[in-house]
Amino acid sequence: MSNTHNLFNTLKDFDRGGGQKGQFYSLPALEEAGVGAISKLPVSIRLVLESVLRNFDGKKVSETNVRELAQWQPKAPRTQEIPFIVARIVLQDFTGVPLLVDLAAMRSAAVILGKNPKIIEPLVPVDLVVDHSVQVDFAGAADSLARNLDMEFQRNRERYQFLKWGMQAFDTFKVVPPGIGIVHQVNLEYLAKGVLCSQPPLYYPDTLVGTDSHTTMINGLGIVGWGVGGIEAEAGMLGQPVYFLTPDVVGVYLTGSLKAGVTATDLALTVTQMLRKAKVVGKFVEFYGPGAAALAVVDRATIANMAPEYGATMGFFPIDAECVEYLRQTGRTEEHCALYENYFRAQGLFGMPAKGDIAYSMDLALDLASVVPSVAGPKRPQDRIELGNMKEEFIRAFSKPVTENGFGKAPEDLGRAFPLGVDGRAALGGGSQEAVSREQSLKQNTNPTTESEMANNRPTPDSVPEAAAGSNGELHHADVLIAAITSCTNTSNPSVMLAAGLLAKKALAAGLKPHPLVKSSLAPGSRVVTDYLTKTGLQTYLDQLGFNLVGYGCTTCIGNSGPLAAPVEDAVVKNDLIAAAVLSGNRNFEARVHQNIKANFLMSPPLVVAFALAGRVTIDLTSEPIGQGEGGRDVYLKDIWPPMEEIRDAMRAALKPEIFRNLYRDFAAQNPKWNEIPSSVGQVYDWDAKSTYIQQPPFFENFSLQPGTITEIKGARPLGIFGDSVTTDHISPAGSIKKTSPAGQYLIEHGVNFVDFNSYGSRRGNDRIMTRGTFANVRIKNLMVPGTEGGVTKYQPGGEAMSIFDAAMKYAQSNTPLIVVAGQEYGTGSSRDWAAKGTRLLGVKAVVAQSFERIHRSNLVGMGVLPLQFKEGVSAQTLHLDGTETYDVLGLGDQLKPQQDVTLVIHRADGQTENVPVACRIDTPIEIDYYQHGGILSFVLRQLAAKSCK
């Protein structure tokens, strides 16, 4: 923050500890000023309100914004947008690389302007954690970690060179290199501070957005944060507001405590089922009450992590003594812990609310004592199954019709055996990267955003023939083929991780053996897990059961599960087997964990070990033996399940604050391979024209310090006319790159073999590829070319059919502006930066739609594209548009006001002209500035350049 203010006399002092004073914007003072009943607001709303109050500047954030949020009502209509300026940003590597590319491009532009490139720095701290690239190519051996790291660095060398440059070039853009952990666990254990300070001594709450839906994990520590798309993160990074609709807040009153043998995972799956039924999509969820107070922060974080699965924007737990204790246990200093507690006490935000303290939009309740051991599956995270019902539920799903979420098999097929061949084809493995169908997601009541992340935010696997070779025996339906202790959801929780290790120890002592056809893996979210599993001696027992360390990253949870043994893969595909994966992750959509494994079950880490030992999911672990041990004796789950006292003893012995301090001190020393990556140095990136991964985007070509003028659009041609519900998946390139696509042809022309194409997600740092992929989805229907699917259009005049990209380039040669016409809900689906960036780089000046998805509309403005909305009852169909027209947009000028009407002039091929009033969907004054400057990046670059000296 560059300037302080004293709106409503809220700038106050507080005791930050040790007799020292600090300043803060006081919410109690705001209530005393009569602005609203602040102390009755949900805690999550109050934390957002603090940011709105603190960032008041009269333009980006107005006094009206402060008043409206301070007067939040639980049952009011939700029409107002909140300008939320966050304190920091977290990124994973797939979504983070394009943001770093944009920063590098801004620095190159600054040099051309004669400015010091160092003026370009993120205006809030940004942390990128490389965690989405490691794949489980090798498993079940002592060298699995080293071999997977070797493969990871071979595949991602160009991307990692670029990230390494970014590490040394920026002060406020930090990179946590590969092999350290998963972004959300690293955030919880290390990056999060709870209270931050700028321009000492002004203190404020830690708030953030991240480019991954499971950013919500940090809500378990009482920190407001959620997942957003790349352009919203970019806005936040550059000190601009992230806008969101004032939310409903669902209060979940927790009572009681978990019974013996019940884990935080069981609780999280129960909450997911309950809240999905309650329809909390797009709402804040706030947990409170004595049951919430009794949960450790790691248990809260497990629940908060799954907010995308129950559909909420956040799954928030208020700040209390447990939060202070967690900060202390994970190595934060005593001084900081005192500051943290004192700050939130001064704000009236310390302590778990009781029933009746706060009025919520919806009230729900859960007695923790009612939670029982559970799994979820086989296709949706919310389909919780009590452990004792697992067998019968799978049998039921096996023959249930596919239309009813079953597998549509004949019941008599369940018992068939299928012999394995001696060998088989070497398969790529990993989850399917086929585009996500929003319609299918809506039918199945699943979250398309999280499924899209599994398809798009990871690499396309390479073939690794020797990775999992040599299998014999026979396969059956319901056999477990993948057992993965994976995902920050659970690996951040020492209680369930130690339980897995203790169960492995007891299983071996009882004489149980690992199942030979199960691909088992252990991929923790941080090196802390390895430290305590090693110190307790439990890692050796996990190793003996095949749960060797395979990497520190998302792995199987996002579909980076790697290949099965070739004979196994061959038998599964040839016989259409309904095989199973068991994993401690947060998503289990069909074919996304592994493209040929259809039944996927979420569960706690100790249950993953138990099902790996059983080798099948058609078993009732509450009453049937897992297997036979020494002397043929039956061994049951209850025989090897560790008691809570034993888990607590292990935690006390192994978890110390100094471990966290040591392991989060020197990242480079923990991964020598990162040190081997060569990289350019200096403040300005040395762009490599031959790179197919990283290219300088053309956002700042012919850039000047003077903002552009808002002018009318004349003589535009339509690039596409689309119907309703065109999603960001339709617009933005996603998944694997097809050989025949414009992007595929580009790669071939640049000497890239098809096997090395990788995914669009991997190549987001190259605008040449991403622009060619825009509107290239094989399922998109351009009404200008009736009866066809895919990214085709007609080039006018003349009507020659060609790819949308080729047509856009031909129009660019004649300086012809372009527009896109669409129906209802244009841009629905997960927020994608390239859905807006690609539109801009194709030369599209305006998108005219019947209605817009809120975030995509904002993203278009953020990239300098004009969103226009037809009046009610008007559409491309009522106007009989066919793509032969040219268009003008009149009424645009420097006096443009938010949401004013302008005129769309349609010049038809027969010479007739029609004037159509449309609403300009630039909705706020700051968006007018963005549009005039050609987008957020140009706006911020000019601001920074104007403030600097050469």
Side-chain angles (χ1 to χ4, degrees):
M1 179 181 296
S2 55
N3 297 298
T4 57
H5 62 80
N6 200 11
L7 182 68
F8 301 119
N9 195 30
T10 52
L11 186 61
K12 302 292 183 183
D13 289 336
F14 77 105
D15 178 8
R16 57 190 174 99
Q20 299 183 73
K21 295 290 184 185
Q23 285 190 311
F24 75 124
Y25 281 96
S26 169
L27 296 176
L30 188 64
E31 184 164 19
E32 288 171 14
V35 178
I38 313 299
S39 58
K40 297 295 184 184
L41 296 178
V43 176
S44 50
I45 292 290
R46 281 184 261 174
L47 288 167
V48 175
L49 175 60
E50 188 282 338
S51 170
V52 175
L53 172 63
R54 174 168 39 89
N55 289 288
F56 160 76
D57 64 358
K59 185 156 192 177
K60 287 185 291 194
V61 182
S62 67
E63 181 179 323
T64 300
N65 295 140
V66 178
R67 288 184 179 277
E68 285 176 347
L69 190 56
Q71 293 163 18
W72 178 91
Q73 295 296 318
K75 307 286 188 182
R78 305 302 178 199
T79 58
Q80 297 152 352
E81 289 204 335
I82 299 170
F84 184 35
I85 297 178
V86 296
R88 60 188 179 93
I89 308 288
V90 294
L91 311 170
Q92 43 91 339
D93 51 308
F94 269 64
T95 48
V97 164
L99 271 69
L100 184 57
V101 167
D102 290 345
L103 284 174
M106 290 174 77
R107 282 210 167 167
S108 295
V111 171
I112 292 171
L113 293 170
K115 301 292 183 180
N116 182 347
K118 285 290 286 180
I119 66 170
I120 305 301
E121 281 279 350
L123 299 179
V124 300
V126 179
D127 293 282
L128 183 152
V129 181
V130 183
D131 64 356
H132 273 53
S133 296
V134 62
Q135 302 179 55
V136 189
D137 292 309
F138 303 95
D143 63 353
S144 297
L145 172 64
R147 298 182 75 185
N148 287 329
L149 268 175
D150 283 343
M151 288 293 295
E152 178 185 356
F153 275 77
Q154 286 175 36
R155 289 170 170 141
N156 296 282
R157 190 175 182 84
E158 276 192 61
R159 296 170 66 240
Y160 288 179
Q161 286 176 333
F162 179 60
L163 288 173
K164 200 166 182 183
W165 168 80
M167 282 180 77
Q168 59 83 48
F170 293 94
D171 296 328
T172 53
F173 192 108
K174 305 293 185 185
V175 177
V176 178
I180 300 299
I182 301 173
V183 58
H184 309 308
Q185 188 163 342
V186 172
N187 191 21
L188 188 70
E189 293 178 352
Y190 170 64
L191 299 174
K193 301 294 185 287
V195 173
L196 301 175
C197 178
S198 71
Q199 201 181 36
L202 183 67
Y203 294 86
Y204 51 93
D206 189 353
T207 59
L208 68 143
V209 290
T211 53
D212 185 90
S213 61
H214 295 94
T215 300
T216 53
M217 185 168 180
I218 203 63
N219 303 158
L221 188 55
I223 293 174
V224 164
W226 58 84
V228 296
I231 290 177
E232 298 107 292
E234 204 150 46
M237 176 176 78
L238 298 172
Q240 303 303 304
V242 175
Y243 290 94
F244 68 102
L245 276 175
T246 307
D248 283 351
V249 183
V250 178
V252 181
Y253 182 62
L254 300 181
T255 57
S257 59
L258 297 176
K259 293 176 181 174
V262 176
T263 66
T265 316
D266 302 322
L267 173 57
L269 297 178
T270 301
V271 167
T272 299
Q273 180 189 48
M274 179 180 89
L275 293 182
R276 196 81 202 179
K277 283 181 180 174
K279 298 182 177 166
V280 300
V281 173
K283 299 174 169 59
F284 285 8
V285 170
E286 189 164 298
F287 300 93
Y288 70 106
L295 290 173
V297 164
V298 289
D299 296 341
R300 300 175 188 182
T302 299
I303 297 166
N305 177 283
M306 291 194 71
E309 280 63 59
Y310 43 85
T313 302
M314 287 201 298
F316 181 84
F317 285 82
I319 304 104
D320 65 357
E322 281 291 331
C323 298
V324 182
E325 186 57 26
Y326 180 79
L327 291 174
R328 186 175 287 119
Q329 289 171 352
T330 49
R332 278 73 163 197
T333 65
E334 283 298 326
E335 180 185 16
H336 185 78
C337 290
L339 163 68
Y340 173 88
E341 181 170 343
N342 289 351
Y343 174 85
F344 285 112
R345 287 190 182 279
Q347 285 285 30
L349 291 172
F350 194 83
M352 190 64 67
K355 197 169 186 66
D357 287 353
I358 293 168
Y360 292 104
S361 308
M362 181 194 304
D363 291 287
L364 300 171
L366 176 65
D367 180 359
L368 301 187
S370 68
V371 178
V372 297
S374 302
V375 302
K379 297 184 180 184
R380 304 189 306 176
Q382 69 263 37
D383 290 334
R384 185 181 67 86
I385 304 168
E386 292 187 12
L387 183 60
N389 297 334
M390 173 73 148
K391 179 178 180 177
E392 63 184 66
E393 286 294 335
F394 181 88
I395 292 170
R396 187 178 295 121
F398 184 76
S399 55
K400 191 189 292 186
V402 173
T403 53
E404 297 175 25
N405 243 9
F407 297 109
K409 293 289 186 180
E412 58 271 19
D413 286 348
L414 184 56
R416 291 181 62 194
F418 301 88
L420 294 177
V422 176
D423 52 24
R425 61 192 177 88
L428 298 181
S432 167
Q433 292 187 303
E434 289 302 308
V436 174
S437 163
R438 181 172 174 80
E439 294 76 17
Q440 189 67 14
S441 293
L442 291 172
K443 277 183 194 172
Q444 294 184 334
N445 189 26
T446 56
N447 186 337
T449 300
T450 58
E451 187 172 359
S452 293
E453 288 174 342
M454 293 186 78
N456 303 326
N457 290 345
R458 61 183 190 83
T460 297
D462 297 327
S463 179
V464 188
E466 78 281 14
S471 299
N472 53 58
E474 59 184 26
L475 282 182
H476 313 80
H477 294 291
D479 279 356
V480 173
L481 297 184
I482 288 179
I485 299 177
T486 179
S487 174
C488 52
T489 312
N490 284 290
T491 70
S492 61
N493 194 324
S495 66
V496 293
M497 294 301 289
L498 288 165
L502 289 166
L503 188 141
K505 179 181 179 180
K506 293 173 184 293
L508 286 163
L512 293 178
K513 306 292 184 192
H515 198 285
L517 296 183
V518 178
K519 180 180 180 179
S520 299
S521 61
L522 169 62
S526 87
R527 291 188 173 232
V528 171
V529 178
T530 298
D531 186 273
Y532 66 67
L533 287 176
T534 302
K535 282 181 176 166
T536 54
L538 297 176
Q539 184 62 56
T540 183
Y541 303 112
L542 288 165
D543 290 346
Q544 290 176 60
L545 293 182
F547 287 93
N548 300 81
L549 184 64
V550 297
Y552 298 94
C554 299
T555 61
T556 305
C557 186
I558 59 161
N560 280 348
S561 53
L564 298 173
V568 171
E569 182 96 25
D570 206 44
V572 169
V573 173
K574 280 182 179 176
N575 300 293
D576 193 26
L577 289 182
I578 310 300
V582 295
L583 64 152
S584 61
N586 46 42
R587 290 166 285 194
N588 58 344
F589 309 112
E590 184 174 354
R592 297 297 183 187
V593 171
H594 185 283
Q595 57 196 325
N596 294 317
I597 294 184
K598 297 181 179 179
N600 302 282
F601 294 93
L602 306 179
M603 59 188 64
S604 66
L607 284 180
V608 170
V609 177
F611 275 103
L613 288 166
R616 58 195 171 95
V617 293
T618 47
I619 182 172
D620 176 0
L621 287 181
T622 65
S623 63
E624 296 179 43
I626 293 175
Q628 282 69 47
E630 295 293 339
R633 182 177 66 87
D634 285 345
V635 179
Y636 293 84
L637 181 63
K638 63 185 179 183
D639 299 331
I640 60 174
W641 191 270
M644 196 62 215
E645 298 75 29
E646 196 173 352
I647 297 169
R648 289 191 183 117
D649 288 345
M651 287 175 66
R652 279 192 290 268
L655 275 171
K656 307 290 183 187
E658 54 268 24
I659 296 168
F660 292 87
R661 295 189 194 112
N662 291 337
L663 291 176
Y664 283 113
R665 182 173 290 143
D666 185 357
F667 296 135
Q670 296 175 56
N671 190 349
K673 294 199 72 64
W674 183 251
N675 303 333
E676 296 167 9
I677 290 278
S679 176
S680 61
V681 295
Q683 303 305 316
V684 182
Y685 187 64
D686 184 14
W687 303 96
D688 179 3
K690 296 178 182 176
S691 174
T692 56
Y693 277 92
I694 306 295
Q695 283 295 330
Q696 183 175 5
F699 298 134
F700 306 108
E701 285 182 355
N702 305 314
F703 187 82
S704 76
L705 284 175
Q706 299 304 313
T709 55
I710 298 176
T711 58
E712 295 177 333
I713 299 168
K714 299 286 185 70
R717 287 283 184 184
L719 193 59
I721 300 175
F722 303 109
D724 295 339
S725 300
V726 171
T727 71
T728 50
D729 282 317
H730 288 121
I731 305 166
S732 176
S736 57
I737 300 172
K738 305 293 187 287
K739 191 183 292 188
T740 55
S741 68
Q745 292 300 301
Y746 169 90
L747 287 170
I748 290 169
E749 289 165 11
H750 285 75
V752 179
N753 293 324
F754 178 59
V755 294
D756 298 319
F757 272 17
N758 215 327
S759 63
Y760 279 110
S762 294
R763 296 187 182 271
R764 282 185 182 132
N766 186 343
D767 64 277
R768 282 73 161 165
I769 289 171
M770 301 305 283
T771 305
R772 283 169 169 80
T774 305
F775 294 111
N777 186 293
V778 294
R779 293 287 175 259
I780 197 168
K781 294 178 182 178
N782 186 351
L783 303 181
M784 290 171 59
V785 195
T788 65
E789 286 187 328
V792 293
T793 191
K794 286 183 179 177
Y795 178 80
Q796 302 291 356
E800 181 186 356
M802 61 181 67
S803 76
I804 281 178
F805 175 78
D806 288 343
M809 295 305 100
K810 282 194 75 169
Y811 284 126
Q813 290 171 8
S814 58
N815 294 316
T816 302
L818 302 173
I819 70 165
V820 166
V821 182
Q824 301 278 3
E825 298 181 327
Y826 182 77
T828 56
S830 58
S831 175
R832 298 269 184 79
D833 53 346
W834 274 105
K837 285 179 175 178
T839 300
R840 150 87 181 271
L841 293 181
L842 285 173
V844 174
K845 301 299 182 185
V847 176
V848 193
Q850 287 176 261
S851 65
F852 289 91
E853 192 278 333
R854 187 180 58 82
I855 294 174
H856 186 63
R857 181 211 62 79
S858 174
N859 286 350
L860 287 171
V861 178
M863 291 313 303
V865 177
L866 180 68
L868 300 171
Q869 187 163 324
F870 287 122
K871 299 295 183 178
E872 187 69 32
V874 179
S875 67
Q877 288 70 42
T878 64
L879 294 169
H880 305 292
L881 304 180
D882 60 13
T884 59
E885 310 83 8
T886 62
Y887 298 81
D888 304 332
V889 181
L890 306 183
L892 301 174
D894 288 337
Q895 302 305 309
L896 184 68
K897 297 290 188 294
Q899 298 186 344
Q900 79 170 56
D901 280 359
V902 295
T903 301
L904 179 70
V905 183
I906 304 169
H907 301 280
R908 300 187 187 275
D910 62 4
Q912 294 187 39
T913 297
E914 186 171 353
N915 293 346
V916 179
V918 291
C920 172
R921 287 301 313 278
I922 298 179
D923 288 357
T924 63
I926 192 67
E927 286 188 340
I928 295 283
D929 286 347
Y930 295 162
Y931 180 66
Q932 181 177 359
H933 283 259
I936 286 177
L937 297 176
S938 299
F939 171 76
V940 172
L941 176 56
R942 288 192 180 99
Q943 278 195 325
L944 296 174
K947 291 177 182 176
S948 72
C949 297
K950 182 174 176 179

